[in-house]
C-alpha cells in the first residue's frame, strides 16, 4: 500500500488533515505528518509553543521513513518552504528510496483525502497521485454549475475552465514513446492552455508533466502500454481530444514505425481491445529482438563488416572548479549557450528536412525540446540563483540527474536515449566553457552508426576500431563516404532515421557492396557473411600480387594509377596497393579540428614527409579546399545561405591570400627536392587561375626557390569544363573532380540520399563535359586526370580511357 506524508508549516493543520484523511481512508492507511518545528527548550516554562510554525527537512525525512512502503510514498505539501524542505529531505535519503517517492502538487486537504481512499484500494503510486490532483474536481464542478454568478473567462456551457478532463489512450507505435513520438506529444500538449499530466497505467509510473520531454520519456511507455491523460484549464477538453487524435494516428510516426503495431493491436472491429490479448512486454520484446531485418541504403564503401552497433561518445569535458560571483552573469552564460545550441540543432534539422523530408528531421525536434525542458532548466537556474553552482557545474549536474533517470528505465531502447541527452547537453556545456567539442570516439570495436559524419569526424576513425559505418543520411559521394573508401572501411549511407533507433551492442552486418544493413542476423547468417568476406579478402590478396605492375593497355598506352590521400600516413598502404603516386593530397585535414592555423614550417614538414615516402613518385597537392561541409574552426567565416555555392576552394584562397601564400611557399620548398604538382580547387573562370598563378609567382619571390612545379586546375564546375580551351594555356594539366562536377551539373546534392539515384557520374551530360575538357586539353598538349570517385569504378575505366583520360586517382584500397 502506498504511504502518504502530509507536510505543513502548522503542526495542528498537518494533524487535522491526517485525521480527516484517516477517517475517510481507514486507519490501515500508512499516513504520517511533518508539521511545524521541534520546540527549543521547555515549552511550558518559556511560553514557546510546543511546535513552532515552520518546516524541517529532517522531520520530513523521518516522516517518509515512518510511512515507507515498497509501493512508494506520496508527499503532500502546503506552501513555500514546505516544498523546499521536502526536496531537501529527498536528498537526505538514498537513491533507491528516492526513486519511489513522489512530491505532489495536489491541494493539501482534498488531495490527502483522495489519496488515502485510493491508497487503501491498493492502487499504484501514479494512480494515487492522480486522484490526489483531482481532489478539487468535485468541488469545482459543484460550485461552477450551481452558482448564479456570471461565467468567468474560459468557462463554457459544458463546465468551468478548471474542470478535470481525463482519458486513457493506448500507445501503439513500434517502440513506444521514444524520443521522436514523445517530442510530438510534448509539442501538441504545449499548444494548449491547460495543465496536463500523464501516467503509465500499465506500469504504474508517473505522473509526469506532458510538456516535459524528459518527464514523458521517463514514464517508460512501450508499445501496447496505456497512458492516462489528465488535463485542467481553459483548453483541457481540446487538449485531451488532440492527444487522443495524435495517438490514433500513431503519434505521426512514419507507417513503417506505427502501422504494424496498430494493425496487430486492433481487433476485427478495428478497436484497440485486441491489444490486451498479447502482453505488452511480449510485443515490445518481439519488436526489439526481431532478427534478420534488412535496412536498405546506398553502397558507399565496398566490403563486408560484422560487429556490434557502436555510437560516438564524446570525451567528457573537464569543468574547472569555480564559485558564483555574479548569478546574473552565470545565467546569461547558460542562456546564451542554450540559444546557440538550439540554433545549431535547428540548422541541422533544416538541412535534413530539405534533404530527407520532415519525417526524418523530426528527431531533431526532440533534441531542441531537451534544451527547453523545465526538468533541466529549473534545477540548473535554481542552483545558479542560489549561488550554489556556476553555470557549467549547474548545467552538467542537471543533465546528469535527468540522464540517470533515463538510465534507470527498464526499457533498453529508452535507456539508450540517455546518450542523446548527454550529447546535446555536452554541446551546451562546451559553449558555456568556450571550448570546442572534444573529438568523438568509439568505446569498443564495432559498427559505427550515426546520423551523418562530417569529414573531420570521419578522418579521426581508426579502421582497427571502426569496422564499418552506417549513416541515416548522406549519399555515396559525400565527403564522409569518400573518406570511408580511402580508409577501406565498409560503409552504407542514407539508410534512414530508423537506424538511429537501434540500441547499442546489437549485432549488425554491413554489406558495402549491395548497400544493405542486416540487423540482429542469425548465427547462420553471420557464418554466411563471414564466408563471403573471407572470399573477398582472398581475391584482394590475389590481385595485389600484380598491383605494382604498370597499368598498360593492349595497344601500349600506359595509364598513371594514383591514390587519393588525406595525409602522409595513408601513402605507404597506397603504394603497397600499387599506386604510381598521389593524385590528390587533401590538405584540408591539416587545418581541421584545431584552434590555430598550421604555419609554413608545419605544412612543409607534412608535404615533405609525403614526398619522401613516395620516393620519387609524383605528389599532387590540392590547395586548401575548405568551406561548405569542411569548415575550418580557426578561420572565422560568415555564414552563407548556400555554402556549396559560396566562398570555398580557390575562392577562399583568393579571399585570404596570406592563407594560400603560406601553403604555396611550403610546397615550393618541398618541390626543390621532390616531384611536386599543385592544383587549385573550384576554378570557375580564367581570372581564378590567373590570380592563383600570380600568388604562386609571389611565393617564389618570397622564398627565393625557383623549383619547377606543375600547376593544374580542378574541373569541378561546369563553367570550367565549358571554357577549358580558355583555361588550358594557363594550366599544365586538368584534374576532373567528378563528385562535384556531377552534383553541380545535375543539381543533385552529393550528400542527399533522396537524390542519390540522380547523382550519376555516367550521366550523358557529365560525360559530355569530360569529353569537352579532354578535347580542349589535347589541343594545347595538356594531360587530363580524374580524381573523383568515378576513377575507382572499374566499369567506367574503359569509357574514361576512350575519352582520353590518362591518369586515374582513387581511394587507396
Amino acid at each position: 500500500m502506498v504511504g502518504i506524508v502530509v507536510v505543513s508549516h502548522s503542526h495542528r493543520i498537518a494533524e487535522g488533515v491526517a485525521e480527516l484523511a484517516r477517517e475517510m481512508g481507514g486507519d490501515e492507511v500508512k499516513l504520517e505528518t511533518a508539521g511545524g518545528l521541534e520546540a527549543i527548550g521547555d515549552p511550558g516554562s518559556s511560553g514557546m509553543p510546543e511546535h513552532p510554525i515552520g518546516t524541517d527537512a529532517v522531520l520530513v525525512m523521518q516522516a517518509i521513513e515512518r510511512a515507507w512502503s515498497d509501493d512508494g510514498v506520496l508527499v503532500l505539501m502546503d506552501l513555500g518552504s514546505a516544498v523546499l524542505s521536502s526536496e531537501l529531505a529527498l536528498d537526505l535519503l538514498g537513491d533507491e528510496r528516492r526513486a519511489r517517492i513522489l512530491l505532489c502538487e495536489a491541494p493539501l486537504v482534498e488531495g490527502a483525502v483522495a489519496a488515502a481512499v485510493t491508497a487503501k484500494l491498493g492502487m499504484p503510486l501514479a494512480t494515487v497521485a492522480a486522484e490526489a490532483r483531482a481532489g478539487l474536481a468535485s468541488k469545482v464542478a459543484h460550485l461552477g454549475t450551481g452558482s448564479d454568478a456570471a461565467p468567468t473567462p474560459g468557462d463554457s456551457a459544458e463546465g468551468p475552465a478548471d474542470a478535470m478532463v481525463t482519458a486513457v489512450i493506448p500507445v501503439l507505435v513500434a517502440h513506444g514513446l521514444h524520443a521522436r513520438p514523445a517530442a510530438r506529444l510534448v509539442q501538441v500538449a504545449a499548444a494548449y492552455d491547460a495543465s496536463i499530466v500523464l501516467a503509465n497505467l500499465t506500469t504504474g509510473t508517473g505522473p509526469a508533466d506532458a510538456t516535459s520531454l524528459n518527464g514523458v520519456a521517463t514514464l517508460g511507455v512501450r508499445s501496447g502500454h496505456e497512458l492516462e491523460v489528465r488535463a485542467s484549464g481553459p483548453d483541457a477538453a481540446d487538449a485531451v481530444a488532440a492527444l487522443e487524435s495524435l495517438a490514433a494516428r500513431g503519434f505521426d510516426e512514419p507507417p513503417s514505425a506505427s502501422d504494424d503495431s496498430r494493425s496487430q493491436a486492433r481487433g476485427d472491429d478495428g478497436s484497440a481491445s485486441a491489444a490486451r490479448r498479447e502482453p505488452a512486454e511480449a510485443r515490445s520484446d518481439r519488436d526489439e529482438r526481431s532478427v534478420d531485418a534488412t535496412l536498405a541504403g546506398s553502397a558507399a564503401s565496398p566490403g563486408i563488416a560484422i560487429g556490434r552497433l557502436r555510437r560516438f561518445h564524446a570525451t567528457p569535458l573537464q569543468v574547472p572548479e569555480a564559485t558564483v560571483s555574479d548569478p546574473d552573469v552565470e545565467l546569461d552564460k547558460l542562456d546564451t549557450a542554450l540559444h546557440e545550441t538550439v540554433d545549431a540543432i535547428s540548422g541541422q534539422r533544416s538541412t535534413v528536412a530539405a534533404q530527407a523530408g520532415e519525417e526524418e528531421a523530426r528527431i531533431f525536434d526532440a533534441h531542441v525540446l531537451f534544451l527547453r525542458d523545465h526538468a533541466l532548466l529549473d534545477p540548473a537556474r535554481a542552483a545558479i540563483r542560489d549561488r550554489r553552482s556556476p553555470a557549467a557545474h549547474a548545467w552538467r549536474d542537471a543533465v546528469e540527474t535527468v540522464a540517470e533517470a533515463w538510465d534507470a528505465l527498464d526499457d533498453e531502447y529508452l535507456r539508450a536515449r540517455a546518450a542523446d541527452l548527454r550529447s546535446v547537453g555536452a554541446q551546451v556545456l562546451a559553449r558555456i566553457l568556450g571550448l570546442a567539442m572534444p573529438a568523438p570516439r568509439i568505446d569498443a570495436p564495432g559498427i559505427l552508426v550515426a546520423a551523418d559524419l562530417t569529414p573531420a569526424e570521419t578522418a579521426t576513425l581508426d579502421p582497427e576500431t571502426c569496422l564499418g559505418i552506417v549513416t541515416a543520411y548522406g549519399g555515396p559521394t559525400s565527403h564522409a563516404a569518400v573518406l570511408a573508401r580511402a580508409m577501406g572501411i565498409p560503409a552504407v549511407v542514407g539508410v534512414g532515421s530508423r537506424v538511429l533507433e537501434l540500441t547499442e551492442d546489437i549485432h549488425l552486418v554491413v554489406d558495402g557492396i549491395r548497400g544493405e544493413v542486416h540487423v540482429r542476423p542469425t548465427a547462420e547468417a553471420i557464418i554466411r557473411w563471414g564466408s563471403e568476406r573471407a572470399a573477398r579478402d582472398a581475391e584482394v590478396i590475389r590481385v595485389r600480387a600484380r598491383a605494382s605492375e604498370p597499368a598498360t593497355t593492349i595497344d601500349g598506352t600506359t595509364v598513371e594509377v594514383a591514390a587519393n590521400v588525406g595525409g602522409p600516413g595513408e601513402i605507404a598502404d597506397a603504394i603497397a596497393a600499387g599506386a604510381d603516386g598521389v593524385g590528390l593530397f587533401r590538405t584540408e585535414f591539416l587545418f581541421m579540428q584545431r584552434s590555430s592555423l598550421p604555419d609554413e614550417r608545419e605544412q612543409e614538414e607534412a608535404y615533405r614527409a609525403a614526398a619522401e615516402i613516395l620516393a620519387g613518385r609524383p605528389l599532387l597537392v590540392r590547395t586548401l579546399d575548405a568551406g561548405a561541409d569542411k569548415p575550418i574552426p580557426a578561420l572565422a567565416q560568415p555564414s552563407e545561405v548556400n555554402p556549396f555555392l559560396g566562398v570555398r576552394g580557390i575562392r577562399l584562397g583568393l579571399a585570404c591570400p596570406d592563407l594560400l601564400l603560406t601553403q604555396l611557399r611550403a610546397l615550393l620548398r618541398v618541390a626543390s627536392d621532390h616531384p611536386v604538382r599543385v592544383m587549385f580547387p573550384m576554378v570557375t573562370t580564367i581570372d581564378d587561375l590567373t590570380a592563383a598563378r600570380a600568388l604562386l609567382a609571389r611565393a617564389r619571390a618570397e622564398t627565393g626557390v625557383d623549383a619547377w612545379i606543375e600547376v593544374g586546375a580542378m574541373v569541378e564546375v561546369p563553367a570550367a569544363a565549358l571554357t577549358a580551351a580558355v583555361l588550358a594555356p594557363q594550366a599544365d594539366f586538368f584534374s576532373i573532380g567528378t563528385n562535384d562536377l556531377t552534383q553541380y551539373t545535375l543539381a543533385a546534392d552529393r550528400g542527399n540520399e533522396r537524390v542519390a539515384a540522380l547523382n550519376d557520374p555516367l550521366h550523358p551530360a557529365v560525360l559530355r563535359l569530360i569529353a569537352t575538357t579532354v578535347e580542349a586539353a589535347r589541343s594545347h598538349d595538356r594531360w587530363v586526370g580524374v580524381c573523383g570517385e568515378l576513377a575507382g569504378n572499374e566499369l567506367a575505366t574503359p569509357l574514361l580511357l576512350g575519352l582520353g583520360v590518362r591518369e586515374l586517382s582513387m581511394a587507396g584500397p
Side-chain angles (χ1 to χ4, degrees):
M1 182 186 300
V2 171
I4 302 169
V5 172
V6 175
V7 181
S8 172
H9 285 67
S10 167
H11 175 76
R12 291 180 179 177
I13 289 178
E15 290 298 326
V17 170
E19 181 182 3
L20 181 59
R22 289 192 189 97
E23 181 69 23
M24 304 294 287
D27 290 338
E28 61 268 39
V29 176
K30 300 181 71 173
L31 203 158
E32 297 292 337
T33 65
L37 301 172
E38 292 286 358
I40 301 175
D42 183 358
S45 59
S46 64
M48 178 176 290
E50 184 176 356
H51 294 282
I53 294 293
T55 58
D56 185 330
V58 173
L59 295 180
V60 177
M61 179 193 71
Q62 293 171 347
I64 291 172
E65 290 177 334
R66 293 195 302 271
W68 180 253
S69 166
D70 287 340
D71 294 326
V73 176
L74 185 74
V75 181
L76 299 162
M77 305 143 287
D78 55 8
L79 48 88
S81 65
V83 178
L84 298 177
S85 294
S86 299
E87 290 179 328
L88 182 55
L90 261 62
D91 292 336
L92 299 175
L93 293 163
D95 290 341
E96 183 178 350
R97 290 205 161 188
R98 191 183 307 141
R100 300 186 187 183
I101 302 168
L102 178 61
L103 305 185
C104 185
E105 76 283 6
L108 193 65
V109 178
E110 295 86 349
V113 171
V117 172
T118 310
K120 183 180 179 180
L121 298 175
M123 294 292 106
L125 180 60
T127 304
V128 174
E131 289 300 317
R133 290 189 178 89
L136 284 176
S138 60
K139 185 192 293 184
V140 170
H142 176 79
L143 294 177
T145 57
S147 173
D148 294 329
T152 57
D155 283 358
S156 68
E158 297 180 354
D162 292 331
M164 185 70 68
V165 180
T166 64
V168 175
I169 57 177
V171 176
L172 302 176
V173 287
H175 298 295
L177 289 187
H178 58 85
R180 193 169 55 195
R184 188 72 186 112
L185 184 151
V186 170
Q187 290 172 329
V188 171
Y192 293 90
D193 184 8
S195 174
I196 309 170
V197 293
L198 307 172
N200 187 335
L201 293 180
T202 306
T203 62
T205 54
D209 182 351
T211 62
S212 167
L213 178 62
N214 292 294
V216 172
T218 52
L219 290 174
V221 181
R222 300 177 71 173
S223 181
H225 286 190
E226 290 186 325
L227 195 63
E228 181 185 54
V229 182
R230 288 182 173 270
S232 62
D235 295 342
D238 290 341
V240 171
L243 291 175
E244 287 180 310
S245 175
L246 178 67
R249 60 179 190 266
F251 292 86
D252 293 339
E253 282 288 89
S256 60
S258 57
D259 284 355
D260 291 345
S261 295
R262 289 203 300 274
S263 63
Q264 290 166 356
R266 285 194 298 265
D268 293 340
D269 60 353
S271 70
S273 60
R276 300 180 181 86
R277 298 174 191 164
E278 182 183 6
E281 292 77 11
R283 284 196 302 277
S284 186
D285 288 348
R286 180 198 62 221
D287 292 335
E288 280 291 294
R289 297 172 186 168
S290 59
V291 296
D292 276 346
T294 300
L295 302 178
S298 296
S301 181
I304 294 170
I306 302 170
R308 292 184 180 274
L309 189 154
R310 305 296 182 203
R311 297 193 189 280
F312 267 147
H313 296 280
T315 303
L317 288 161
Q318 297 301 312
V319 181
E321 292 299 323
T323 58
V324 182
S325 57
D326 187 337
D328 290 337
V329 171
E330 296 299 315
L331 287 169
D332 284 344
K333 284 184 185 178
L334 175 59
D335 289 342
T336 299
L338 288 166
H339 179 76
E340 291 175 350
T341 306
V342 167
D343 283 349
I345 294 173
S346 298
Q348 291 176 295
R349 189 200 189 286
S350 297
T351 300
V352 172
Q355 294 181 349
E358 278 295 315
E359 287 181 356
E360 297 287 347
R362 277 174 42 216
I363 187 66
F364 293 99
D365 292 338
H367 295 175
V368 170
L369 287 172
F370 279 146
L371 305 182
R372 292 174 175 163
D373 196 331
H374 59 76
L376 284 172
L377 300 180
D378 290 355
R381 287 172 174 155
I384 295 171
R385 290 192 191 99
D386 296 344
R387 296 179 181 269
R388 286 182 279 125
S389 302
H393 289 79
W395 176 252
R396 178 199 61 190
D397 294 346
V399 168
E400 194 55 32
T401 297
V402 175
E404 287 174 356
W406 287 73
D407 288 336
L409 294 173
D410 292 333
D411 189 335
E412 174 192 7
Y413 178 81
L414 290 172
R415 282 201 307 272
R417 304 285 73 77
D420 295 341
L421 174 59
R422 288 186 172 103
S423 176
V424 174
Q427 295 178 48
V428 178
L429 184 59
R431 287 181 168 90
I432 292 173
L433 296 171
L435 300 174
M437 278 291 293
R441 69 184 193 282
I442 305 175
D443 290 336
I447 310 296
L448 173 63
V449 173
D452 203 353
L453 294 175
T454 67
E457 289 171 339
T458 312
T460 65
L461 298 177
D462 180 357
E464 294 296 319
T465 304
C466 182
L467 308 179
I469 295 172
V470 180
T471 67
Y473 314 116
T477 60
S478 66
H479 284 107
V482 169
L483 292 176
R485 281 192 288 276
M487 292 185 283
I489 301 175
V492 176
V493 300
V495 174
S497 63
R498 283 184 63 194
V499 73
L500 303 178
E501 298 169 357
L502 299 176
T503 53
E504 277 201 90
D505 216 38
I506 64 170
H507 276 100
L508 299 177
V509 172
V510 176
D511 184 346
I513 304 165
R514 300 175 183 87
E516 296 176 346
V517 179
H518 300 272
V519 181
R520 295 185 179 87
T522 62
E524 293 80 5
I526 290 177
I527 293 172
R528 185 174 67 252
W529 289 114
S531 297
E532 183 169 338
R533 182 176 62 183
R536 180 177 172 80
D537 291 345
E539 174 67 6
V540 169
I541 293 172
R542 186 187 70 79
V543 299
R544 279 204 173 196
R546 299 186 60 194
S548 60
E549 296 177 13
T552 304
T553 63
I554 293 174
D555 66 354
T557 300
T558 299
V559 179
E560 184 175 307
V561 181
N564 300 338
V565 301
E570 298 177 24
I571 296 176
D573 287 341
I575 293 174
D580 298 324
V582 167
L584 171 61
F585 187 99
R586 301 184 181 94
T587 59
E588 55 270 19
F589 296 104
L590 296 172
F591 294 75
M592 287 182 169
Q593 290 189 318
R594 52 185 297 165
S595 58
S596 60
L597 297 172
D599 59 20
E600 184 177 329
R601 180 192 57 78
E602 184 179 351
Q603 292 192 54
E604 180 186 345
E605 288 176 355
Y607 307 144
R608 189 174 296 280
E612 288 174 351
I613 297 171
L614 286 167
R617 299 176 182 88
L619 170 66
L620 198 166
V621 177
R622 179 177 68 188
T623 60
L624 180 61
D625 186 20
D629 65 341
K630 294 180 287 185
I632 303 300
L635 191 64
Q637 287 289 102
S639 61
E640 298 175 288
V641 174
N642 191 340
F644 285 93
L645 299 181
V647 180
R648 57 174 297 205
I650 190 59
R651 300 172 185 176
L652 178 61
L654 296 177
C656 305
D658 289 341
L659 188 69
L660 184 53
L661 277 168
T662 300
Q663 191 165 33
L664 294 174
R665 287 195 299 265
L667 284 169
L668 281 168
R669 296 184 192 282
V670 177
S672 63
D673 303 311
H674 303 278
V676 173
R677 301 164 176 166
V678 63
M679 64 181 176
F680 301 108
M682 199 71 178
V683 170
T684 307
T685 69
I686 186 63
D687 291 341
D688 292 339
L689 192 52
T690 302
R693 293 202 73 128
L695 285 177
L696 180 60
R698 179 177 162 186
R700 287 184 189 278
E702 291 175 352
T703 59
V705 176
D706 195 26
W708 181 76
I709 188 168
E710 278 190 274
V711 178
M714 289 196 72
V715 177
E716 304 170 279
V717 181
L722 293 170
T723 59
V726 177
L727 299 174
Q730 290 289 322
D732 298 316
F733 65 90
F734 290 127
S735 184
I736 302 174
T738 53
N739 302 342
D740 273 341
L741 183 62
T742 301
Q743 79 164 345
Y744 290 139
T745 301
L746 301 177
D749 186 344
R750 61 190 283 193
N752 186 344
E753 66 278 3
R754 297 176 74 195
V755 293
L758 183 60
N759 198 298
D760 178 12
L762 294 176
H763 189 284
V766 179
L767 296 178
R768 184 176 292 276
L769 291 174
I770 294 174
T772 300
T773 303
V774 173
E775 290 167 5
R778 184 182 290 126
S779 66
H780 290 84
D781 197 25
R782 306 297 196 242
W783 61 270
V784 177
V786 172
C787 64
E789 292 306 298
L790 188 63
N793 182 342
E794 62 192 62
L795 297 178
T797 304
L799 183 57
L800 293 174
L801 299 186
L803 290 174
V805 172
R806 291 297 177 263
E807 186 247 21
L808 299 171
S809 189
M810 63 203 70

mmCIF file of all heavy atoms in Angstrom, residues 11-12 35-44 46-53:
data_model
loop_
_atom_site.group_PDB
_atom_site.id
_atom_site.type_symbol
_atom_site.label_atom_id
_atom_site.label_comp_id
_atom_site.label_asym_id
_atom_site.label_seq_id
_atom_site.Cartn_x
_atom_site.Cartn_y
_atom_site.Cartn_z
ATOM 1 N N HIS A 11 1.727 22.388 12.779
ATOM 2 C CA HIS A 11 1.565 21.035 13.311
ATOM 3 C C HIS A 11 0.086 20.679 13.405
ATOM 4 O O HIS A 11 -0.324 19.561 13.048
ATOM 5 C CB HIS A 11 2.221 20.947 14.695
ATOM 6 C CG HIS A 11 2.010 19.633 15.375
ATOM 7 N ND1 HIS A 11 2.707 18.498 15.014
ATOM 8 C CD2 HIS A 11 1.175 19.275 16.406
ATOM 9 C CE1 HIS A 11 2.315 17.489 15.781
ATOM 10 N NE2 HIS A 11 1.396 17.935 16.632
ATOM 11 N N ARG A 12 -0.732 21.644 13.835
ATOM 12 C CA ARG A 12 -2.162 21.370 14.009
ATOM 13 C C ARG A 12 -2.842 21.112 12.671
ATOM 14 O O ARG A 12 -3.704 20.234 12.550
ATOM 15 C CB ARG A 12 -2.840 22.542 14.720
ATOM 16 C CG ARG A 12 -2.403 22.680 16.179
ATOM 17 C CD ARG A 12 -3.091 23.857 16.836
ATOM 18 N NE ARG A 12 -2.703 23.991 18.243
ATOM 19 C CZ ARG A 12 -3.105 24.956 19.053
ATOM 20 N NH1 ARG A 12 -3.914 25.909 18.576
ATOM 21 N NH2 ARG A 12 -2.717 24.997 20.314
ATOM 22 N N GLY A 35 4.617 18.399 10.632
ATOM 23 C CA GLY A 35 4.059 19.747 10.760
ATOM 24 C C GLY A 35 4.797 20.571 11.791
ATOM 25 O O GLY A 35 5.026 20.126 12.916
ATOM 26 N N GLY A 36 5.166 21.799 11.412
ATOM 27 C CA GLY A 36 5.838 22.696 12.340
ATOM 28 C C GLY A 36 7.256 22.253 12.638
ATOM 29 O O GLY A 36 7.812 21.357 12.014
ATOM 30 N N LEU A 37 7.853 22.936 13.645
ATOM 31 C CA LEU A 37 9.223 22.656 14.064
ATOM 32 C C LEU A 37 9.224 22.034 15.448
ATOM 33 O O LEU A 37 8.247 22.148 16.200
ATOM 34 C CB LEU A 37 10.037 23.951 14.088
ATOM 35 C CG LEU A 37 10.138 24.734 12.773
ATOM 36 C CD1 LEU A 37 10.803 26.085 13.026
ATOM 37 C CD2 LEU A 37 10.920 23.941 11.737
ATOM 38 N N GLU A 38 10.336 21.414 15.808
ATOM 39 C CA GLU A 38 10.507 20.907 17.157
ATOM 40 C C GLU A 38 10.738 22.084 18.100
ATOM 41 O O GLU A 38 11.430 23.045 17.749
ATOM 42 C CB GLU A 38 11.690 19.935 17.229
ATOM 43 C CG GLU A 38 11.461 18.637 16.471
ATOM 44 C CD GLU A 38 10.494 17.701 17.180
ATOM 45 O OE1 GLU A 38 10.025 18.050 18.275
ATOM 46 O OE2 GLU A 38 10.181 16.646 16.611
ATOM 47 N N ALA A 39 10.162 22.017 19.303
ATOM 48 C CA ALA A 39 10.348 23.100 20.278
ATOM 49 C C ALA A 39 11.790 23.132 20.765
ATOM 50 O O ALA A 39 12.460 22.114 20.841
ATOM 51 C CB ALA A 39 9.412 22.908 21.457
ATOM 52 N N ILE A 40 12.282 24.355 21.052
ATOM 53 C CA ILE A 40 13.621 24.537 21.622
ATOM 54 C C ILE A 40 13.463 24.837 23.104
ATOM 55 O O ILE A 40 12.773 25.793 23.488
ATOM 56 C CB ILE A 40 14.358 25.689 20.924
ATOM 57 C CG1 ILE A 40 14.477 25.393 19.416
ATOM 58 C CG2 ILE A 40 15.726 25.896 21.528
ATOM 59 C CD1 ILE A 40 15.081 26.520 18.625
ATOM 60 N N GLY A 41 14.076 24.030 23.954
ATOM 61 C CA GLY A 41 13.933 24.256 25.396
ATOM 62 C C GLY A 41 12.632 23.648 25.913
ATOM 63 O O GLY A 41 12.049 22.740 25.328
ATOM 64 N N ASP A 42 12.148 24.210 27.067
ATOM 65 C CA ASP A 42 10.936 23.709 27.729
ATOM 66 C C ASP A 42 9.758 24.591 27.335
ATOM 67 O O ASP A 42 9.657 25.731 27.775
ATOM 68 C CB ASP A 42 11.123 23.737 29.250
ATOM 69 C CG ASP A 42 9.909 23.140 29.968
ATOM 70 O OD1 ASP A 42 8.943 22.754 29.281
ATOM 71 O OD2 ASP A 42 9.953 23.079 31.205
ATOM 72 N N PRO A 43 8.854 24.095 26.456
ATOM 73 C CA PRO A 43 7.748 24.941 26.001
ATOM 74 C C PRO A 43 6.896 25.459 27.147
ATOM 75 O O PRO A 43 6.400 26.572 27.120
ATOM 76 C CB PRO A 43 6.944 24.009 25.097
ATOM 77 C CG PRO A 43 7.826 22.862 24.786
ATOM 78 C CD PRO A 43 8.790 22.744 25.901
ATOM 79 N N GLY A 44 6.733 24.634 28.202
ATOM 80 C CA GLY A 44 5.856 25.056 29.303
ATOM 81 C C GLY A 44 6.369 26.252 30.061
ATOM 82 O O GLY A 44 5.605 27.128 30.471
ATOM 83 N N SER A 46 8.871 28.504 28.987
ATOM 84 C CA SER A 46 9.313 29.649 28.192
ATOM 85 C C SER A 46 8.193 30.336 27.452
ATOM 86 O O SER A 46 8.363 31.430 26.923
ATOM 87 C CB SER A 46 10.367 29.201 27.167
ATOM 88 O OG SER A 46 9.769 28.292 26.244
ATOM 89 N N GLY A 47 7.058 29.714 27.414
ATOM 90 C CA GLY A 47 5.953 30.285 26.656
ATOM 91 C C GLY A 47 6.025 29.961 25.178
ATOM 92 O O GLY A 47 5.149 30.347 24.404
ATOM 93 N N MET A 48 7.078 29.232 24.764
ATOM 94 C CA MET A 48 7.208 28.874 23.357
ATOM 95 C C MET A 48 6.221 27.767 23.028
ATOM 96 O O MET A 48 6.052 26.832 23.813
ATOM 97 C CB MET A 48 8.631 28.410 23.072
ATOM 98 C CG MET A 48 8.864 27.963 21.623
ATOM 99 S SD MET A 48 10.577 27.527 21.323
ATOM 100 C CE MET A 48 11.319 29.161 21.408
ATOM 101 N N PRO A 49 5.543 27.830 21.887
ATOM 102 C CA PRO A 49 4.613 26.774 21.511
ATOM 103 C C PRO A 49 5.340 25.442 21.368
ATOM 104 O O PRO A 49 6.535 25.391 21.078
ATOM 105 C CB PRO A 49 4.032 27.252 20.182
ATOM 106 C CG PRO A 49 5.015 28.233 19.654
ATOM 107 C CD PRO A 49 5.604 28.900 20.868
ATOM 108 N N GLU A 50 4.579 24.354 21.559
ATOM 109 C CA GLU A 50 5.187 23.024 21.500
ATOM 110 C C GLU A 50 5.775 22.738 20.118
ATOM 111 O O GLU A 50 6.813 22.093 19.992
ATOM 112 C CB GLU A 50 4.133 21.964 21.839
ATOM 113 C CG GLU A 50 4.693 20.553 21.896
ATOM 114 C CD GLU A 50 3.644 19.550 22.316
ATOM 115 O OE1 GLU A 50 2.513 19.960 22.630
ATOM 116 O OE2 GLU A 50 3.972 18.354 22.331
ATOM 117 N N HIS A 51 5.106 23.250 19.052
ATOM 118 C CA HIS A 51 5.583 23.057 17.680
ATOM 119 C C HIS A 51 5.540 24.398 16.962
ATOM 120 O O HIS A 51 4.501 24.768 16.395
ATOM 121 C CB HIS A 51 4.709 22.035 16.935
ATOM 122 C CG HIS A 51 4.798 20.648 17.491
ATOM 123 N ND1 HIS A 51 5.853 19.804 17.244
ATOM 124 C CD2 HIS A 51 3.953 19.971 18.313
ATOM 125 C CE1 HIS A 51 5.657 18.660 17.863
ATOM 126 N NE2 HIS A 51 4.508 18.735 18.530
ATOM 127 N N PRO A 52 6.636 25.161 16.993
ATOM 128 C CA PRO A 52 6.652 26.467 16.314
ATOM 129 C C PRO A 52 6.340 26.321 14.824
ATOM 130 O O PRO A 52 6.588 25.283 14.217
ATOM 131 C CB PRO A 52 8.088 26.967 16.526
ATOM 132 C CG PRO A 52 8.592 26.190 17.699
ATOM 133 C CD PRO A 52 7.921 24.854 17.646
ATOM 134 N N ILE A 53 5.788 27.386 14.234
ATOM 135 C CA ILE A 53 5.467 27.404 12.812
ATOM 136 C C ILE A 53 6.767 27.280 11.993
ATOM 137 O O ILE A 53 7.754 27.949 12.269
ATOM 138 C CB ILE A 53 4.728 28.699 12.417
ATOM 139 C CG1 ILE A 53 3.354 28.748 13.082
ATOM 140 C CG2 ILE A 53 4.589 28.799 10.903
ATOM 141 C CD1 ILE A 53 2.381 27.694 12.574
#
